[in-house]
Amino acid sequence: MAVGSEPAVLAPVAATGHGLRHQRLGIALLAALLAVAPLFLYPVFLMKVLCFALFACAFNLLIGYVGLLSFGHAAFFGTAAYAAGHAAKVWGLSPELAVLFATACSAALGLVFGWLAIRRQGIYFAMITLALAQMLYFFYLQAPFTGGEDGIQAIPRGRLLGLVDLSHDLAMYGVVLVVFLGGFLLIYRTIHSPFGQVLKAIRENEPRAVSLGYDTDRYKLAAFVLSAALSGLAGGTKAIVFQLASLTDVHWTMSGEVVLMALVGGLGTVFGPVVGAAVVVSLQNYLAGLGHWVTIVQGCIFVACVLAFRRGLVGELARLIRRPL
Amino acid sequence: MAGDDAILETEGLTKEFRGFVAVRDVALRVRRGAVHALIGPNGAGKTTCFNLLTKFLQPTAGRILFEGRDITGLRPAQVALLGIVRSFQISAVFGHLTALENVRVALQRKRGESFDFWRSEKVLERWNGRARELLDAVGIAAFADVPAAELPYGRKRALELATTIALEPRLMLLDEPTAGMGREDVGRITALIREVAKGRTVLMVEHNLAVVADLCDTITVLVRGEILAEGDYARISADPRVREAYLGSEEG
Ligand SMILES: Nc1ncnc2c1ncn2[C@@H]1O[C@H](COP(=O)(O)OP(=O)(O)OP(=O)(O)O)[C@@H](O)[C@H]1O
Ligand SMILES: [Mg+2]
């Protein structure tokens, strides 16, 4: 219960009708910024940020808007990476079909995990998702099609719809940008849909939502599957971009990283996970020389964030300007 | 109005928590159109009874009949859809939603399920009018756009009532609607309950006996999970066993 109710307490500003204009403006700004970003930054770095940003947004849909802390989201990210890698490399599917297949795999896995975990509350929910993800990790470690410690390497980027050669980073970036914006807008719409309204009600007070006639388990499960599918979209795209699917993608530290990104940016904010992903990925890049110390530095940021910016960077900003972001 | 037509009946309703019997063999009968009070000292099992009736808890034994239909095996959301809507002992609002949105979540239930994540929430605006009416009915129309968490306590309970009525329940279960309120708020909520009870059935837990005397036509006294007495206020207040059960454990 404690974990489950946390995001409600931290949700920065109630999103009333008038606040939404700011969010729309913010989205337009973000899209414009990302469109010109390759002029200033490496496309490969940007693509990494975008894949993780989508992953973090999908994760945030659960923690921020339903109040469910999943600690096994790497399972969906990693499963999709393997599925896309296998489909593109072994079956020779085109990249869009490979990613679509990967997304479907993660959605199906989300249905199974969700069905097993959703009845549990708070910390028990987090523990079950972690346990299931760990079981899957050990399965992938042994399974013949994952390439064990090596992973699936040299996944072909292929040609989009058989036409556009994605081996050029800029072409690939265009595709990743469209995938990210598509996923981001879908999440945004979900938050501001009749379904999202019920999710927020569940986050705020689940027994009350039940007493109003909502079968909350089914709503939570639907949100879980949606989040898993979008995490899969992120993971599958990542595998195509970096031409690699490996155990790192399904490891529990990946589940931890996505928690970190959402937390740094701000739980329950629209833009927080994007900012969080950008910060964490940048740090990892710049600190790469430190080797194992990266993890420790990350841990320190985590602690500092929790202490200094309880609502995350975007969450605190939203509070400052008294508008939901 | 057939005078003793029961909307809700229980037979041998029992709930055991690991050997501790919180509710024992309760046969409750709520008349259609009545305002029925469930009173009793702290820990008597009143809230547990509510949890059983709304299926938030599964009874260890016994049956629950609503309008003659056995609802013992239903899930809580199904019970709500049949028309039994409860409020909670601790005020239960959706804190980060505005007052208007709070009521709309209940009104939204009328469109059936809301799994349509691809549709804009604009479709919910058609209930804004009705939501404002309900807020107005409980006297908090001015707070429509205020997040529920920022409302003063008495207003929160009013909002809860508006949300409950939004579902047009046939049977309302109110768990201590005036608990923790100042005298002024108690008066306002009492008047409200009297108003919304018209044409409905209300079963309420209430510690404030003045409110009970004022509102309720039937009173059931629960002590240590069992029904001790039942009747109208005059009869209950004259019952020596009730006085004894309340002595020392109740200020009223
Ligand atoms: N989930 C539970 N597990 C174990 N015991 C419980 C549970 N819920 C209630 N009880 C116990 O059952 C008894 C009745 O509790 P209940 O909350 O129904 O009392 P109440 O009449 O509503 O009291 P109050 O006037 O204080 O609200 C208490 O002794 C309580 O400790
Ligand atoms: Mg109680």
Side-chain angles (χ1 to χ4, degrees), chain B residues 47 89 175-176:
Chain B
T47 298
Q89 184 164 350
D175 199 350
E176 303 197 20

Side-chain angles (χ1 to χ4, degrees), chain A residues 8 192-194 208 213-214 219, chain B residues 86 96 105 109 113-114 121 164:
Chain A
H192 298 293
S193 70
R208 183 52 169 164
Y214 291 103
Y219 283 85
Chain B
R86 68 175 296 184
H96 286 91
V105 170
R109 194 64 189 83
E113 298 295 346
S114 289
E121 64 188 346
T164 304

Side-chain angles (χ1 to χ4, degrees), chain A residues 17 66 151 164 204-205 234 281 288 297:
Chain A
V66 200
V164 188
E204 297 294 317
N205 194 323
V281 172
V297 174

Side-chain angles (χ1 to χ4, degrees), chain A residues 279-295:
Chain A
V279 169
V280 172
V281 172
S282 307
L283 273 172
Q284 282 172 348
N285 265 24
Y286 291 116
L287 300 177
L290 297 179
H292 283 305
W293 288 94
V294 178
T295 324

Side-chain angles (χ1 to χ4, degrees), chain A residues 34 75 138:
Chain A
L34 289 173
F138 287 113

